[in-house]
Amino acid sequence: MYTPPAFAVTDAAELYGMIRQCPLASFITATPEGPMATPLPMLLDANEGESGVLYAHLARPNPQWQADVIGHGLAVFMGPDAYVSPSWYASKAEHGKVVPTWNYMAVQASGPVEFFSDAERLLDVVTRLTNLHEGTRQAPWAVTDAPQAYVTAQLRGIVGVRMPIVSLEGKRKMSQNRPEADRRGVKQGLAASSHESDRVVSDLIPIE
């Protein structure tokens, strides 16, 4: 991922936080048949291994797990994003030398990929994923709420994914390279948008 220094995120705790804020990743592998990608909810275990481990599962009919992986796998997590109009820049009125751009947050994690079918490991992954996303609900659903025979049958239909992280890159592009007057204009423009995602990005734009 091309990341100019002004946009780079290097702190591990901050990168883990960004991953947890956007848990649906694009899981990508290079294979002899060409690149393959699947949108996957991924679980980060930051305490496992040297730099953390990502877990997920694929549907068993998905051909991605059946293809040999060339090199490392890649998980791409995209956070809030928004189009930035040059009309919001104060510098537009000064010299007009402005163009549109896009503000966004992204994290890319890569590492060796392991696919597994062991029922005990699969149950652990789906249970942890479920608890992660159900934990804040008023009446959380648990895997144990379903009949055991049904869960066992469902586990036979999936394949686990384990990817130890060996490379972790983060980018937060929120108009940091623009003068403060321009940043204020972008912040105000996005805050006035009817799209909730634009307003989320507005809150992330730094103002000194």
Side-chain angles (χ1 to χ4, degrees), residues 34-150:
M36 295 186 177
T38 302
L40 286 183
M42 301 197 84
L43 170 73
L44 168 66
D45 188 335
N47 297 318
E48 184 179 346
E50 293 185 6
S51 302
V53 175
L54 291 169
Y55 286 96
H57 58 83
L58 295 163
R60 186 165 288 277
N62 189 324
Q64 187 171 6
W65 74 270
Q66 302 175 59
D68 292 334
V69 178
I70 300 172
H72 286 171
L74 178 68
V76 180
F77 300 84
M78 293 300 300
D81 68 277
Y83 170 77
V84 175
S85 170
S87 64
W88 294 331
Y89 292 149
S91 54
K92 175 182 178 294
E94 297 173 10
H95 48 66
K97 298 177 181 179
V98 293
V99 294
T101 189
W102 210 279
N103 278 354
Y104 61 91
M105 291 169 50
V107 176
Q108 292 185 357
S110 64
V113 176
E114 175 195 0
F115 298 113
F116 60 90
S117 298
D118 177 78
E120 186 174 344
R121 293 179 69 189
L122 286 171
L123 179 60
D124 177 67
V125 170
V126 298
T127 298
R128 292 165 71 188
L129 272 169
T130 299
N131 293 345
L132 174 66
H133 297 291
E134 289 281 341
T136 57
R137 295 173 60 84
Q138 187 172 359
W141 181 87
V143 172
T144 52
D145 289 347
Q148 184 175 348
Y150 175 78

Side-chain angles (χ1 to χ4, degrees), residues 151-188:
V151 172
T152 299
Q154 292 296 302
L155 293 177
R156 288 195 290 267
I158 61 175
V159 174
V161 179
R162 179 179 184 271
M163 192 178 81
I165 298 172
V166 298
S167 175
L168 191 61
E169 301 177 86
K171 185 174 184 178
R172 181 183 286 108
K173 182 180 178 294
M174 293 291 163
S175 300
Q176 301 100 310
N177 59 327
R178 303 299 307 182
E180 183 175 353
D182 285 359
R183 295 200 305 274
R184 289 187 181 277
V186 173
K187 191 177 186 73
Q188 293 170 1

Side-chain angles (χ1 to χ4, degrees), residues 10-32:
T10 57
D11 180 73
E14 191 171 358
L15 289 165
Y16 292 155
M18 290 168 66
I19 286 175
R20 293 187 175 107
Q21 290 171 14
C22 46
L24 184 69
S26 292
F27 173 64
I28 304 164
T29 52
T31 78

